[in-house]
Amino acid sequence: MLTHLLEWALYPGSFQSFLAGGFLISLFTTIPATSGIIVAGYWLDRSDLEPTRYERIAKWTAGGLLVFLGINILIINAIFLEFFPADRQASLLVGWVRFAMSLGAACGLFIGIVEARAIERALDAERATMRAAELEHQTDQLEFFNSILRHDVLNGMTVIRSRAEFLDDDLTDETQRRHADTILRWSDDIVLIIQRVRRILDTLTESAEFVPTATDLASVVGDEVDRISATYPTVEFETEVPEG
């Protein structure tokens, strides 16, 4: 509308031609493009595009405006003086330039947005690939750790426990037997911990399905108190744990 007012001010005779139909033609040739620019600006303000993309979108908008304007200037220079009457050339020239600028800017803006979204999608895909590679690397590490627990640590605890059983059977001194019992109990506890960690690792690496089960916490607390009591025989422990 501002360009129309400017045209009317510079070329008063154009007002009558606008009323006669030129005004509607002028509006319908520029409203779609300018409306698209307004909508695109509104969308950009609320989109998830990085603000760093705005400068390139602006360059595409300016580039589209200048390129389309240059093409139309060549067309105007070739046919304008021949096909349009002299008394309307000035006002029609302004309207044509306005149309070329608005359409060129709209096309450039559209191309800039499409390119920005394509770049964002490519970066998202690259980041997803990097995250997948990192997760795969972490999974390999967990599986390696799991294999160490399954074989080296668990086998070592089996040897320790078997030796403690031999000692417990052969020893006659009560204090030494109590120490052997402590080794046996701790060996069993460490084996249970290893098995729990293995189940967790199996779940994380999806190599096995872990099914949660109900656990009697009273018995767990009782076993833990027994283990600590055997480790510290001079310490008295008092508990009050309800059954179930």
Side-chain angles (χ1 to χ4, degrees), residues 130-141:
M130 293 177 62
R131 285 195 298 269
E134 183 179 354
L135 287 174
E136 183 178 358
H137 178 64
Q138 292 176 351
T139 301
D140 292 339
Q141 290 179 324

Side-chain angles (χ1 to χ4, degrees), residues 53-85:
R53 308 290 171 209
Y54 292 169
E55 180 180 355
R56 188 167 180 84
I57 292 175
K59 290 180 178 179
W60 270 106
T61 304
L65 185 152
L66 294 176
V67 169
F68 201 69
L69 179 61
I71 294 174
N72 278 268
I73 286 177
L74 293 177
I75 296 174
I76 291 171
N77 186 59
I79 68 172
F80 202 83
L81 296 178
E82 181 178 353
F83 291 96
F84 293 98

